[in-house]
PDB file of all heavy atoms in Angstrom:
ATOM      1  N   LEU A  33       0.638  13.684  -7.006  1.00 92.00           N
ATOM      2  CA  LEU A  33       1.069  14.282  -5.743  1.00 92.00           C
ATOM      3  C   LEU A  33       0.403  15.628  -5.519  1.00 92.00           C
ATOM      4  O   LEU A  33       0.242  16.411  -6.466  1.00 92.00           O
ATOM      5  CB  LEU A  33       2.591  14.450  -5.746  1.00 92.00           C
ATOM      6  CG  LEU A  33       3.373  13.138  -5.862  1.00 92.00           C
ATOM      7  CD1 LEU A  33       4.785  13.406  -6.349  1.00 92.00           C
ATOM      8  CD2 LEU A  33       3.391  12.420  -4.532  1.00 92.00           C
ATOM      9  N   PHE A  34       0.057  15.875  -4.284  1.00 94.00           N
ATOM     10  CA  PHE A  34      -0.666  17.087  -3.930  1.00 94.00           C
ATOM     11  C   PHE A  34      -0.115  17.673  -2.635  1.00 94.00           C
ATOM     12  O   PHE A  34       0.376  16.953  -1.768  1.00 94.00           O
ATOM     13  CB  PHE A  34      -2.158  16.775  -3.682  1.00 94.00           C
ATOM     14  CG  PHE A  34      -2.846  16.009  -4.773  1.00 94.00           C
ATOM     15  CD1 PHE A  34      -2.771  14.630  -4.820  1.00 94.00           C
ATOM     16  CD2 PHE A  34      -3.579  16.675  -5.739  1.00 94.00           C
ATOM     17  CE1 PHE A  34      -3.409  13.915  -5.821  1.00 94.00           C
ATOM     18  CE2 PHE A  34      -4.220  15.966  -6.750  1.00 94.00           C
ATOM     19  CZ  PHE A  34      -4.136  14.588  -6.782  1.00 94.00           C
ATOM     20  N   TRP A  35      -0.245  18.983  -2.515  1.00 97.00           N
ATOM     21  CA  TRP A  35      -0.093  19.663  -1.246  1.00 97.00           C
ATOM     22  C   TRP A  35      -1.375  20.444  -0.969  1.00 97.00           C
ATOM     23  O   TRP A  35      -1.860  21.188  -1.828  1.00 97.00           O
ATOM     24  CB  TRP A  35       1.086  20.638  -1.254  1.00 97.00           C
ATOM     25  CG  TRP A  35       2.408  20.014  -0.942  1.00 97.00           C
ATOM     26  CD1 TRP A  35       3.378  19.626  -1.824  1.00 97.00           C
ATOM     27  CD2 TRP A  35       2.932  19.709   0.367  1.00 97.00           C
ATOM     28  NE1 TRP A  35       4.452  19.103  -1.152  1.00 97.00           N
ATOM     29  CE2 TRP A  35       4.211  19.153   0.187  1.00 97.00           C
ATOM     30  CE3 TRP A  35       2.444  19.879   1.666  1.00 97.00           C
ATOM     31  CZ2 TRP A  35       5.011  18.737   1.258  1.00 97.00           C
ATOM     32  CZ3 TRP A  35       3.233  19.470   2.723  1.00 97.00           C
ATOM     33  CH2 TRP A  35       4.503  18.907   2.523  1.00 97.00           C
ATOM     34  N   TYR A  36      -1.888  20.248   0.255  1.00 96.00           N
ATOM     35  CA  TYR A  36      -3.049  20.984   0.715  1.00 96.00           C
ATOM     36  C   TYR A  36      -2.648  21.804   1.941  1.00 96.00           C
ATOM     37  O   TYR A  36      -1.764  21.411   2.707  1.00 96.00           O
ATOM     38  CB  TYR A  36      -4.178  20.029   1.129  1.00 96.00           C
ATOM     39  CG  TYR A  36      -4.876  19.300   0.002  1.00 96.00           C
ATOM     40  CD1 TYR A  36      -4.352  18.112  -0.486  1.00 96.00           C
ATOM     41  CD2 TYR A  36      -6.048  19.791  -0.550  1.00 96.00           C
ATOM     42  CE1 TYR A  36      -5.002  17.423  -1.511  1.00 96.00           C
ATOM     43  CE2 TYR A  36      -6.701  19.106  -1.575  1.00 96.00           C
ATOM     44  CZ  TYR A  36      -6.163  17.927  -2.042  1.00 96.00           C
ATOM     45  OH  TYR A  36      -6.812  17.255  -3.059  1.00 96.00           O
ATOM     46  N   VAL A  37      -3.361  22.915   2.160  1.00 96.00           N
ATOM     47  CA  VAL A  37      -3.141  23.740   3.333  1.00 96.00           C
ATOM     48  C   VAL A  37      -4.446  23.847   4.107  1.00 96.00           C
ATOM     49  O   VAL A  37      -5.532  23.923   3.513  1.00 96.00           O
ATOM     50  CB  VAL A  37      -2.610  25.143   2.960  1.00 96.00           C
ATOM     51  CG1 VAL A  37      -3.590  25.898   2.070  1.00 96.00           C
ATOM     52  CG2 VAL A  37      -2.312  25.968   4.207  1.00 96.00           C
ATOM     53  N   GLN A  38      -4.319  23.805   5.426  1.00 93.00           N
ATOM     54  CA  GLN A  38      -5.491  23.930   6.287  1.00 93.00           C
ATOM     55  C   GLN A  38      -5.259  25.054   7.286  1.00 93.00           C
ATOM     56  O   GLN A  38      -4.424  24.931   8.183  1.00 93.00           O
ATOM     57  CB  GLN A  38      -5.766  22.629   7.042  1.00 93.00           C
ATOM     58  CG  GLN A  38      -7.017  22.671   7.901  1.00 93.00           C
ATOM     59  CD  GLN A  38      -7.231  21.394   8.690  1.00 93.00           C
ATOM     60  OE1 GLN A  38      -6.289  20.690   9.036  1.00 93.00           O
ATOM     61  NE2 GLN A  38      -8.480  21.077   8.987  1.00 93.00           N
ATOM     62  N   SER A  39      -5.985  26.143   7.126  1.00 91.00           N
ATOM     63  CA  SER A  39      -5.925  27.232   8.099  1.00 91.00           C
ATOM     64  C   SER A  39      -6.779  26.861   9.306  1.00 91.00           C
ATOM     65  O   SER A  39      -7.696  26.046   9.198  1.00 91.00           O
ATOM     66  CB  SER A  39      -6.430  28.524   7.467  1.00 91.00           C
ATOM     67  OG  SER A  39      -5.583  28.884   6.386  1.00 91.00           O
ATOM     68  N   PRO A  40      -6.499  27.443  10.454  1.00 86.00           N
ATOM     69  CA  PRO A  40      -7.223  27.082  11.677  1.00 86.00           C
ATOM     70  C   PRO A  40      -8.735  27.179  11.500  1.00 86.00           C
ATOM     71  O   PRO A  40      -9.254  28.186  11.025  1.00 86.00           O
ATOM     72  CB  PRO A  40      -6.711  28.108  12.691  1.00 86.00           C
ATOM     73  CG  PRO A  40      -5.342  28.446  12.220  1.00 86.00           C
ATOM     74  CD  PRO A  40      -5.418  28.422  10.720  1.00 86.00           C
ATOM     75  N   GLY A  41      -9.424  26.112  11.863  1.00 82.00           N
ATOM     76  CA  GLY A  41     -10.872  26.094  11.791  1.00 82.00           C
ATOM     77  C   GLY A  41     -11.450  25.952  10.403  1.00 82.00           C
ATOM     78  O   GLY A  41     -12.667  26.092  10.218  1.00 82.00           O
ATOM     79  N   GLN A  42     -10.589  25.682   9.423  1.00 86.00           N
ATOM     80  CA  GLN A  42     -11.055  25.594   8.038  1.00 86.00           C
ATOM     81  C   GLN A  42     -10.830  24.205   7.460  1.00 86.00           C
ATOM     82  O   GLN A  42     -10.126  23.378   8.047  1.00 86.00           O
ATOM     83  CB  GLN A  42     -10.299  26.621   7.181  1.00 86.00           C
ATOM     84  CG  GLN A  42     -10.465  28.059   7.632  1.00 86.00           C
ATOM     85  CD  GLN A  42     -11.892  28.529   7.532  1.00 86.00           C
ATOM     86  OE1 GLN A  42     -12.575  28.296   6.531  1.00 86.00           O
ATOM     87  NE2 GLN A  42     -12.376  29.195   8.572  1.00 86.00           N
ATOM     88  N   GLY A  43     -11.431  23.980   6.316  1.00 88.00           N
ATOM     89  CA  GLY A  43     -11.156  22.753   5.583  1.00 88.00           C
ATOM     90  C   GLY A  43      -9.849  22.867   4.819  1.00 88.00           C
ATOM     91  O   GLY A  43      -9.169  23.885   4.863  1.00 88.00           O
ATOM     92  N   LEU A  44      -9.487  21.818   4.121  1.00 92.00           N
ATOM     93  CA  LEU A  44      -8.244  21.810   3.362  1.00 92.00           C
ATOM     94  C   LEU A  44      -8.440  22.465   2.004  1.00 92.00           C
ATOM     95  O   LEU A  44      -9.491  22.307   1.364  1.00 92.00           O
ATOM     96  CB  LEU A  44      -7.760  20.376   3.151  1.00 92.00           C
ATOM     97  CG  LEU A  44      -7.053  19.714   4.330  1.00 92.00           C
ATOM     98  CD1 LEU A  44      -8.013  19.366   5.444  1.00 92.00           C
ATOM     99  CD2 LEU A  44      -6.303  18.462   3.860  1.00 92.00           C
ATOM    100  N   GLN A  45      -7.421  23.168   1.567  1.00 94.00           N
ATOM    101  CA  GLN A  45      -7.445  23.832   0.271  1.00 94.00           C
ATOM    102  C   GLN A  45      -6.236  23.386  -0.536  1.00 94.00           C
ATOM    103  O   GLN A  45      -5.120  23.322  -0.001  1.00 94.00           O
ATOM    104  CB  GLN A  45      -7.416  25.354   0.472  1.00 94.00           C
ATOM    105  CG  GLN A  45      -7.396  26.162  -0.817  1.00 94.00           C
ATOM    106  CD  GLN A  45      -7.207  27.648  -0.577  1.00 94.00           C
ATOM    107  OE1 GLN A  45      -6.781  28.074   0.483  1.00 94.00           O
ATOM    108  NE2 GLN A  45      -7.517  28.454  -1.581  1.00 94.00           N
ATOM    109  N   LEU A  46      -6.438  23.123  -1.801  1.00 94.00           N
ATOM    110  CA  LEU A  46      -5.338  22.679  -2.655  1.00 94.00           C
ATOM    111  C   LEU A  46      -4.355  23.814  -2.893  1.00 94.00           C
ATOM    112  O   LEU A  46      -4.738  24.913  -3.292  1.00 94.00           O
ATOM    113  CB  LEU A  46      -5.879  22.195  -3.997  1.00 94.00           C
ATOM    114  CG  LEU A  46      -4.834  21.689  -4.977  1.00 94.00           C
ATOM    115  CD1 LEU A  46      -4.271  20.345  -4.520  1.00 94.00           C
ATOM    116  CD2 LEU A  46      -5.406  21.582  -6.390  1.00 94.00           C
ATOM    117  N   LEU A  47      -3.073  23.541  -2.648  1.00 96.00           N
ATOM    118  CA  LEU A  47      -2.003  24.501  -2.946  1.00 96.00           C
ATOM    119  C   LEU A  47      -1.444  24.259  -4.339  1.00 96.00           C
ATOM    120  O   LEU A  47      -1.236  25.195  -5.105  1.00 96.00           O
ATOM    121  CB  LEU A  47      -0.857  24.336  -1.950  1.00 96.00           C
ATOM    122  CG  LEU A  47      -0.923  25.083  -0.622  1.00 96.00           C
ATOM    123  CD1 LEU A  47       0.300  24.734   0.204  1.00 96.00           C
ATOM    124  CD2 LEU A  47      -1.027  26.582  -0.838  1.00 96.00           C
ATOM    125  N   LEU A  48      -1.138  23.002  -4.632  1.00 95.00           N
ATOM    126  CA  LEU A  48      -0.579  22.656  -5.933  1.00 95.00           C
ATOM    127  C   LEU A  48      -0.639  21.151  -6.118  1.00 95.00           C
ATOM    128  O   LEU A  48      -0.896  20.404  -5.176  1.00 95.00           O
ATOM    129  CB  LEU A  48       0.864  23.159  -6.070  1.00 95.00           C
ATOM    130  CG  LEU A  48       1.833  22.905  -4.919  1.00 95.00           C
ATOM    131  CD1 LEU A  48       2.331  21.472  -4.889  1.00 95.00           C
ATOM    132  CD2 LEU A  48       3.023  23.853  -4.999  1.00 95.00           C
ATOM    133  N   LYS A  49      -0.387  20.735  -7.361  1.00 93.00           N
ATOM    134  CA  LYS A  49      -0.441  19.311  -7.679  1.00 93.00           C
ATOM    135  C   LYS A  49       0.589  18.986  -8.753  1.00 93.00           C
ATOM    136  O   LYS A  49       0.972  19.837  -9.546  1.00 93.00           O
ATOM    137  CB  LYS A  49      -1.837  18.920  -8.159  1.00 93.00           C
ATOM    138  CG  LYS A  49      -2.302  19.644  -9.412  1.00 93.00           C
ATOM    139  CD  LYS A  49      -3.734  19.326  -9.733  1.00 93.00           C
ATOM    140  CE  LYS A  49      -4.190  19.995 -11.024  1.00 93.00           C
ATOM    141  NZ  LYS A  49      -4.316  21.448 -10.901  1.00 93.00           N
ATOM    142  N   TYR A  50       1.012  17.742  -8.765  1.00 92.00           N
ATOM    143  CA  TYR A  50       1.906  17.243  -9.808  1.00 92.00           C
ATOM    144  C   TYR A  50       1.288  15.997 -10.411  1.00 92.00           C
ATOM    145  O   TYR A  50       1.001  15.021  -9.708  1.00 92.00           O
ATOM    146  CB  TYR A  50       3.289  16.910  -9.247  1.00 92.00           C
ATOM    147  CG  TYR A  50       4.163  16.230 -10.276  1.00 92.00           C
ATOM    148  CD1 TYR A  50       4.783  16.967 -11.283  1.00 92.00           C
ATOM    149  CD2 TYR A  50       4.339  14.850 -10.270  1.00 92.00           C
ATOM    150  CE1 TYR A  50       5.563  16.349 -12.239  1.00 92.00           C
ATOM    151  CE2 TYR A  50       5.121  14.227 -11.221  1.00 92.00           C
ATOM    152  CZ  TYR A  50       5.729  14.976 -12.200  1.00 92.00           C
ATOM    153  OH  TYR A  50       6.484  14.364 -13.161  1.00 92.00           O
ATOM    154  N   PHE A  51       1.122  16.028 -11.740  1.00 87.00           N
ATOM    155  CA  PHE A  51       0.609  14.860 -12.438  1.00 87.00           C
ATOM    156  C   PHE A  51       1.682  14.277 -13.354  1.00 87.00           C
ATOM    157  O   PHE A  51       1.877  13.063 -13.403  1.00 87.00           O
ATOM    158  CB  PHE A  51      -0.636  15.211 -13.256  1.00 87.00           C
ATOM    159  CG  PHE A  51      -1.829  15.579 -12.413  1.00 87.00           C
ATOM    160  CD1 PHE A  51      -2.929  16.204 -12.987  1.00 87.00           C
ATOM    161  CD2 PHE A  51      -1.877  15.310 -11.064  1.00 87.00           C
ATOM    162  CE1 PHE A  51      -4.039  16.544 -12.219  1.00 87.00           C
ATOM    163  CE2 PHE A  51      -2.965  15.642 -10.278  1.00 87.00           C
ATOM    164  CZ  PHE A  51      -4.055  16.263 -10.876  1.00 87.00           C
ATOM    165  N   SER A  52       2.349  15.134 -14.109  1.00 85.00           N
ATOM    166  CA  SER A  52       3.400  14.689 -15.028  1.00 85.00           C
ATOM    167  C   SER A  52       4.089  15.933 -15.568  1.00 85.00           C
ATOM    168  O   SER A  52       3.684  17.062 -15.288  1.00 85.00           O
ATOM    169  CB  SER A  52       2.827  13.870 -16.186  1.00 85.00           C
ATOM    170  OG  SER A  52       1.970  14.671 -16.970  1.00 85.00           O
ATOM    171  N   GLY A  53       5.160  15.719 -16.351  1.00 87.00           N
ATOM    172  CA  GLY A  53       5.820  16.842 -17.008  1.00 87.00           C
ATOM    173  C   GLY A  53       6.846  17.511 -16.125  1.00 87.00           C
ATOM    174  O   GLY A  53       7.577  16.849 -15.377  1.00 87.00           O
ATOM    175  N   ASP A  54       6.905  18.826 -16.199  1.00 89.00           N
ATOM    176  CA  ASP A  54       7.887  19.613 -15.465  1.00 89.00           C
ATOM    177  C   ASP A  54       7.833  19.255 -13.979  1.00 89.00           C
ATOM    178  O   ASP A  54       6.757  19.290 -13.362  1.00 89.00           O
ATOM    179  CB  ASP A  54       7.599  21.099 -15.653  1.00 89.00           C
ATOM    180  CG  ASP A  54       8.738  21.977 -15.148  1.00 89.00           C
ATOM    181  OD1 ASP A  54       9.608  21.474 -14.409  1.00 89.00           O
ATOM    182  OD2 ASP A  54       8.746  23.171 -15.487  1.00 89.00           O
ATOM    183  N   THR A  55       8.992  18.923 -13.437  1.00 91.00           N
ATOM    184  CA  THR A  55       9.014  18.438 -12.049  1.00 91.00           C
ATOM    185  C   THR A  55       8.926  19.561 -11.029  1.00 91.00           C
ATOM    186  O   THR A  55       8.780  19.301  -9.835  1.00 91.00           O
ATOM    187  CB  THR A  55      10.280  17.619 -11.796  1.00 91.00           C
ATOM    188  OG1 THR A  55      11.425  18.426 -12.106  1.00 91.00           O
ATOM    189  CG2 THR A  55      10.289  16.362 -12.652  1.00 91.00           C
ATOM    190  N   LEU A  56       9.030  20.796 -11.471  1.00 96.00           N
ATOM    191  CA  LEU A  56       8.854  21.938 -10.570  1.00 96.00           C
ATOM    192  C   LEU A  56       7.483  22.539 -10.868  1.00 96.00           C
ATOM    193  O   LEU A  56       7.242  23.015 -11.974  1.00 96.00           O
ATOM    194  CB  LEU A  56       9.957  22.970 -10.788  1.00 96.00           C
ATOM    195  CG  LEU A  56       9.943  24.171  -9.836  1.00 96.00           C
ATOM    196  CD1 LEU A  56      10.181  23.721  -8.396  1.00 96.00           C
ATOM    197  CD2 LEU A  56      11.001  25.190 -10.262  1.00 96.00           C
ATOM    198  N   VAL A  57       6.606  22.514  -9.883  1.00 96.00           N
ATOM    199  CA  VAL A  57       5.247  23.009 -10.102  1.00 96.00           C
ATOM    200  C   VAL A  57       4.994  24.225  -9.223  1.00 96.00           C
ATOM    201  O   VAL A  57       5.471  24.306  -8.094  1.00 96.00           O
ATOM    202  CB  VAL A  57       4.205  21.920  -9.826  1.00 96.00           C
ATOM    203  CG1 VAL A  57       4.320  20.814 -10.841  1.00 96.00           C
ATOM    204  CG2 VAL A  57       4.331  21.356  -8.425  1.00 96.00           C
ATOM    205  N   GLN A  58       4.249  25.132  -9.796  1.00 96.00           N
ATOM    206  CA  GLN A  58       3.905  26.358  -9.076  1.00 96.00           C
ATOM    207  C   GLN A  58       2.475  26.250  -8.555  1.00 96.00           C
ATOM    208  O   GLN A  58       1.605  25.654  -9.192  1.00 96.00           O
ATOM    209  CB  GLN A  58       4.011  27.562 -10.009  1.00 96.00           C
ATOM    210  CG  GLN A  58       5.379  27.737 -10.648  1.00 96.00           C
ATOM    211  CD  GLN A  58       6.464  28.013  -9.632  1.00 96.00           C
ATOM    212  OE1 GLN A  58       6.264  28.762  -8.681  1.00 96.00           O
ATOM    213  NE2 GLN A  58       7.634  27.394  -9.819  1.00 96.00           N
ATOM    214  N   GLY A  59       2.258  26.823  -7.390  1.00 95.00           N
ATOM    215  CA  GLY A  59       0.919  26.790  -6.830  1.00 95.00           C
ATOM    216  C   GLY A  59       0.434  28.170  -6.445  1.00 95.00           C
ATOM    217  O   GLY A  59       1.007  29.178  -6.847  1.00 95.00           O
ATOM    218  N   ILE A  60      -0.587  28.189  -5.627  1.00 94.00           N
ATOM    219  CA  ILE A  60      -1.136  29.458  -5.181  1.00 94.00           C
ATOM    220  C   ILE A  60      -0.318  29.998  -4.019  1.00 94.00           C
ATOM    221  O   ILE A  60       0.488  29.272  -3.421  1.00 94.00           O
ATOM    222  CB  ILE A  60      -2.615  29.311  -4.763  1.00 94.00           C
ATOM    223  CG1 ILE A  60      -2.751  28.337  -3.585  1.00 94.00           C
ATOM    224  CG2 ILE A  60      -3.458  28.853  -5.948  1.00 94.00           C
ATOM    225  CD1 ILE A  60      -4.140  28.284  -2.986  1.00 94.00           C
ATOM    226  N   LYS A  61      -0.495  31.263  -3.730  1.00 93.00           N
ATOM    227  CA  LYS A  61       0.114  31.924  -2.578  1.00 93.00           C
ATOM    228  C   LYS A  61       1.640  31.900  -2.629  1.00 93.00           C
ATOM    229  O   LYS A  61       2.288  31.999  -1.581  1.00 93.00           O
ATOM    230  CB  LYS A  61      -0.369  31.285  -1.260  1.00 93.00           C
ATOM    231  CG  LYS A  61      -1.866  31.274  -1.102  1.00 93.00           C
ATOM    232  CD  LYS A  61      -2.275  30.730   0.264  1.00 93.00           C
ATOM    233  CE  LYS A  61      -3.790  30.700   0.375  1.00 93.00           C
ATOM    234  NZ  LYS A  61      -4.242  30.327   1.718  1.00 93.00           N
ATOM    235  N   GLY A  62       2.231  31.774  -3.813  1.00 96.00           N
ATOM    236  CA  GLY A  62       3.676  31.830  -3.951  1.00 96.00           C
ATOM    237  C   GLY A  62       4.419  30.546  -3.619  1.00 96.00           C
ATOM    238  O   GLY A  62       5.639  30.536  -3.516  1.00 96.00           O
ATOM    239  N   PHE A  63       3.691  29.447  -3.429  1.00 97.00           N
ATOM    240  CA  PHE A  63       4.321  28.164  -3.134  1.00 97.00           C
ATOM    241  C   PHE A  63       4.735  27.440  -4.412  1.00 97.00           C
ATOM    242  O   PHE A  63       4.123  27.607  -5.463  1.00 97.00           O
ATOM    243  CB  PHE A  63       3.360  27.277  -2.331  1.00 97.00           C
ATOM    244  CG  PHE A  63       3.227  27.675  -0.893  1.00 97.00           C
ATOM    245  CD1 PHE A  63       2.242  28.574  -0.502  1.00 97.00           C
ATOM    246  CD2 PHE A  63       4.081  27.171   0.063  1.00 97.00           C
ATOM    247  CE1 PHE A  63       2.117  28.958   0.829  1.00 97.00           C
ATOM    248  CE2 PHE A  63       3.959  27.541   1.398  1.00 97.00           C
ATOM    249  CZ  PHE A  63       2.978  28.440   1.777  1.00 97.00           C
ATOM    250  N   GLU A  64       5.761  26.626  -4.267  1.00 97.00           N
ATOM    251  CA  GLU A  64       6.168  25.736  -5.333  1.00 97.00           C
ATOM    252  C   GLU A  64       6.595  24.409  -4.714  1.00 97.00           C
ATOM    253  O   GLU A  64       6.871  24.326  -3.511  1.00 97.00           O
ATOM    254  CB  GLU A  64       7.325  26.313  -6.156  1.00 97.00           C
ATOM    255  CG  GLU A  64       8.617  26.467  -5.384  1.00 97.00           C
ATOM    256  CD  GLU A  64       9.745  27.030  -6.242  1.00 97.00           C
ATOM    257  OE1 GLU A  64       9.477  27.722  -7.239  1.00 97.00           O
ATOM    258  OE2 GLU A  64      10.910  26.743  -5.906  1.00 97.00           O
ATOM    259  N   ALA A  65       6.636  23.376  -5.537  1.00 98.00           N
ATOM    260  CA  ALA A  65       7.081  22.071  -5.056  1.00 98.00           C
ATOM    261  C   ALA A  65       7.861  21.396  -6.171  1.00 98.00           C
ATOM    262  O   ALA A  65       7.583  21.601  -7.353  1.00 98.00           O
ATOM    263  CB  ALA A  65       5.897  21.206  -4.626  1.00 98.00           C
ATOM    264  N   GLU A  66       8.816  20.577  -5.779  1.00 96.00           N
ATOM    265  CA  GLU A  66       9.638  19.878  -6.745  1.00 96.00           C
ATOM    266  C   GLU A  66       9.532  18.378  -6.547  1.00 96.00           C
ATOM    267  O   GLU A  66       9.743  17.865  -5.437  1.00 96.00           O
ATOM    268  CB  GLU A  66      11.105  20.303  -6.630  1.00 96.00           C
ATOM    269  CG  GLU A  66      11.990  19.684  -7.708  1.00 96.00           C
ATOM    270  CD  GLU A  66      13.393  20.235  -7.709  1.00 96.00           C
ATOM    271  OE1 GLU A  66      13.778  20.905  -6.727  1.00 96.00           O
ATOM    272  OE2 GLU A  66      14.115  19.986  -8.687  1.00 96.00           O
ATOM    273  N   PHE A  67       9.195  17.683  -7.616  1.00 94.00           N
ATOM    274  CA  PHE A  67       9.132  16.223  -7.599  1.00 94.00           C
ATOM    275  C   PHE A  67      10.508  15.673  -7.933  1.00 94.00           C
ATOM    276  O   PHE A  67      11.090  16.021  -8.968  1.00 94.00           O
ATOM    277  CB  PHE A  67       8.101  15.740  -8.619  1.00 94.00           C
ATOM    278  CG  PHE A  67       8.146  14.261  -8.889  1.00 94.00           C
ATOM    279  CD1 PHE A  67       7.947  13.355  -7.869  1.00 94.00           C
ATOM    280  CD2 PHE A  67       8.389  13.781 -10.172  1.00 94.00           C
ATOM    281  CE1 PHE A  67       7.983  11.992  -8.114  1.00 94.00           C
ATOM    282  CE2 PHE A  67       8.432  12.425 -10.424  1.00 94.00           C
ATOM    283  CZ  PHE A  67       8.230  11.524  -9.399  1.00 94.00           C
ATOM    284  N   LYS A  68      11.020  14.821  -7.055  1.00 94.00           N
ATOM    285  CA  LYS A  68      12.304  14.165  -7.297  1.00 94.00           C
ATOM    286  C   LYS A  68      12.063  12.661  -7.251  1.00 94.00           C
ATOM    287  O   LYS A  68      11.937  12.064  -6.171  1.00 94.00           O
ATOM    288  CB  LYS A  68      13.346  14.584  -6.269  1.00 94.00           C
ATOM    289  CG  LYS A  68      13.770  16.037  -6.404  1.00 94.00           C
ATOM    290  CD  LYS A  68      14.912  16.379  -5.458  1.00 94.00           C
ATOM    291  CE  LYS A  68      15.361  17.829  -5.666  1.00 94.00           C
ATOM    292  NZ  LYS A  68      16.474  18.197  -4.751  1.00 94.00           N
TER     293      LYS A  68
END
Side-chain angles (χ1 to χ4, degrees):
Chain A
L33 298 160
F34 308 84
W35 275 99
Y36 289 86
V37 60
Q38 183 183 28
S39 297
Q42 301 297 315
L44 281 72
Q45 178 187 17
L46 181 72
L47 274 179
L48 47 77
K49 60 186 183 290
Y50 173 78
F51 293 166
S52 64
D54 191 345
T55 57
L56 184 64
V57 293
Q58 303 296 319
I60 62 172
K61 304 184 181 186
F63 285 91
E64 65 179 25
E66 185 173 14
F67 168 60
K68 291 186 177 180

